[in-house]
Amino acid sequence: MTDNSAHTQTLLDMSDLLKPNAVRVAATLGIADLVAEGGGTAATLAERAGAHPEVFAKLLRYLVELGLFTVDADGVHALTDLSRPLLRSNEPSLAQYLSMEGLFGRVSLGLVGLLHTVRTGEASHAAVFGRDYWDEINTDPVYVRALEAEGPTEAGWDADAVIRAYDWSTVRSVADVGGNNGTLLIELLRAHPHLRGTVIDLPNVAGIAARRIEEAGLADRGTAVAASFFEELPKGHDVYLLSGILADWSDEKSVAILRRVAEAAGPDGRVLLAEINLPEMGTGLAAADTALRVAATVPVPARTVEAVRDLADRAGLTPTWQGPVTPVRSVVEFSQAGVELSQAGVELSPAVALDRVPEVAGA
Ligand SMILES: C[S@@+](CC[C@H](N)C(=O)[O-])C[C@H]1O[C@@H](n2cnc3c(N)ncnc32)[C@H](O)[C@@H]1O
């Protein structure tokens, strides 16, 4: 006979929301560090955390019951083995990863909107927080620290397909649209010493990109400006690069972005789409977890080269060169006029170029 009460308890434990929130609040407030820096009673810890004394005491009591801290007869708290990984000095920082004011933490909190995703197929963040993820973390000053701490420091997702497979020798100036904290542009400028570049992104990351470009000693060739790709973009660059941008947007929004980019590029400019493609892979719980998590987070994680070309076509862009297609990325160059361009010393007509490239696996 089925033990319903045991299963009921299992389901209640699985669906509890208090535990994850309490642990994340502890990470956000840095309670492990406050305790490590001299313990203290709930009252003194609350003051140092800048928290409401009575509710903070209730949180601490719960965390003690969960085994994160101990408390002695004088009400003084101490760390346990369970809370030590939450110390901010750990590298990489679990506390930063779990922080409700962190980049990854914000993604996780969006999962509260899973019902919206399941009903509509749309990512959940805007449904929960009233604005999309990038808009939120790029406008609110509270996320500047998180963008500094958690932003990428190396270009990933087969970035070599952008940095080395494309012929940058004829390009004087590139706009990295949605270039985030400048990581990809910095690597591009280092790899191609003749190249000049500008990151175009929303205010918080654009400010960080400008500083990082300067710190990299590239201020003479690189810069960053704050602008939205849903509005008019700075003109005059030879190439407008979009790396990993469209996955975050529906087809309609993607076409709107591409129209803005095409408008800025003008008839003589080129648009280089280095799009991410995340086809579902693997079996088992971890793969199922990733598939659902990605669906709630990234609106269109998998677009084939065909789909990317269709979007560009709707924005009046014609493919002029097809670059590598790796398991996670495709690189295609477009222009308004569809003029033939050479690549790697080979003159490729669009038809030939596109024919020569295998489709993304599983597409
Ligand atoms: C997935 S990240 C891609 C970052 C980078 N291009 C790369 O390849 O790693 C998307 C980027 O788009 C930017 N973004 C989002 N909305 C934007 C907007 N309306 N205008 C300009 N940039 C935006 C985000 O700030 C973020 O840096």
Side-chain angles (χ1 to χ4, degrees):
M1 210 173 89
T2 313
D3 181 356
N4 261 336
S5 62
H7 290 311
T8 299
Q9 192 53 51
T10 303
L11 288 168
L12 286 170
D13 289 344
M14 284 171 84
S15 50
D16 169 57
L17 287 178
L18 186 60
K19 253 186 233 110
N21 274 295
V23 172
R24 283 172 185 274
V25 171
T28 309
L29 295 178
I31 298 178
D33 290 82
L34 296 177
V35 170
E37 287 156 12
T41 62
T44 57
L45 288 167
E47 195 180 340
R48 282 157 61 203
H52 185 281
E54 285 83 31
V55 184
F56 186 88
K58 291 181 201 301
L59 171 72
L60 215 46
R61 178 180 160 198
Y62 182 61
L63 293 172
V64 166
E65 292 298 332
L66 290 182
L68 270 76
F69 303 107
T70 58
V71 60
D72 67 17
D74 297 324
V76 175
H77 293 78
L79 291 179
T80 66
D81 285 348
L82 187 56
S83 52
R84 250 178 276 281
L86 286 177
L87 289 171
R88 284 176 172 158
S89 52
N90 288 311
E91 202 52 63
S93 172
L94 177 64
Q96 182 65 44
Y97 178 76
L98 294 177
S99 171
M100 290 165 144
E101 293 171 350
L103 305 191
F104 293 108
R106 222 55 198 158
V107 170
S108 292
L109 294 183
L111 295 176
V112 171
L114 186 61
L115 176 62
H116 176 82
T117 298
V118 171
R119 279 193 170 139
T120 65
E122 294 168 5
S124 59
H125 201 90
V128 178
F129 297 112
R131 52 186 174 171
D132 74 65
Y133 175 76
W134 294 114
D135 187 24
E136 181 182 46
I137 65 167
N138 272 301
T139 21
D140 197 329
V142 80
Y143 298 111
V144 172
R145 202 179 70 82
L147 286 162
E148 295 271 12
E150 296 177 66
T153 52
E154 280 176 19
W157 303 99
D158 291 343
D160 259 9
V162 184
I163 298 169
R164 278 165 241 289
Y166 187 67
D167 180 8
W168 291 99
S169 66
T170 61
V171 181
R172 287 161 304 170
S173 163
V174 57
D176 189 358
V177 182
N180 201 262
N181 67 3
T183 297
L184 180 58
L185 183 69
I186 288 170
E187 291 193 23
L188 260 177
L189 296 184
R190 282 190 176 136
H192 306 282
H194 70 282
L195 194 62
R196 307 177 72 81
T198 302
V199 164
I200 300 176
D201 209 305
L202 296 174
N204 282 355
V205 275
I208 294 170
R211 201 210 65 231
R212 292 184 75 238
I213 290 167
E214 198 175 334
E215 284 171 4
L218 294 165
D220 55 332
R221 293 190 288 127
T223 183
V225 298
S228 169
F229 46 49
F230 291 112
E231 288 157 27
E232 192 174 342
L233 293 169
K235 295 186 170 59
H237 296 280
D238 298 328
V239 168
Y240 286 76
L241 166 66
L242 277 82
S243 165
I245 299 298
L246 302 184
D248 287 331
W249 304 99
S250 66
D251 284 2
E252 288 63 37
K253 291 257 173 76
S254 294
V255 172
I257 294 168
L258 291 173
R259 288 205 174 109
R260 284 302 190 184
V261 173
E263 174 186 278
D268 299 327
R270 298 171 248 173
V271 175
L272 191 61
L273 295 186
E275 199 41 48
I276 298 294
N277 188 21
L278 290 175
E280 282 184 29
M281 283 180 285
T283 55
L285 179 60
D289 176 310
T290 303
L292 187 57
R293 203 175 284 272
V294 167
T297 309
V298 184
V300 191
R303 272 200 188 97
T304 63
V305 177
E306 284 293 340
V308 170
R309 283 208 305 266
D310 282 352
L311 294 178
D313 185 58
R314 285 168 60 186
L317 290 164
T318 311
T320 40
W321 174 78
Q322 168 75 66
V325 178
T326 80
V328 293
R329 204 191 264 278
S330 63
V331 187
V332 192
E333 182 201 70
F334 299 85
S335 77
Q336 276 187 26
V339 276
E340 288 182 19
L341 297 169
S342 66
Q343 184 65 27
V346 185
E347 202 72 31
L348 300 173
S349 74
V352 172
L354 297 172
D355 281 355
R356 286 161 52 129
V357 176
E359 280 300 320
V360 177

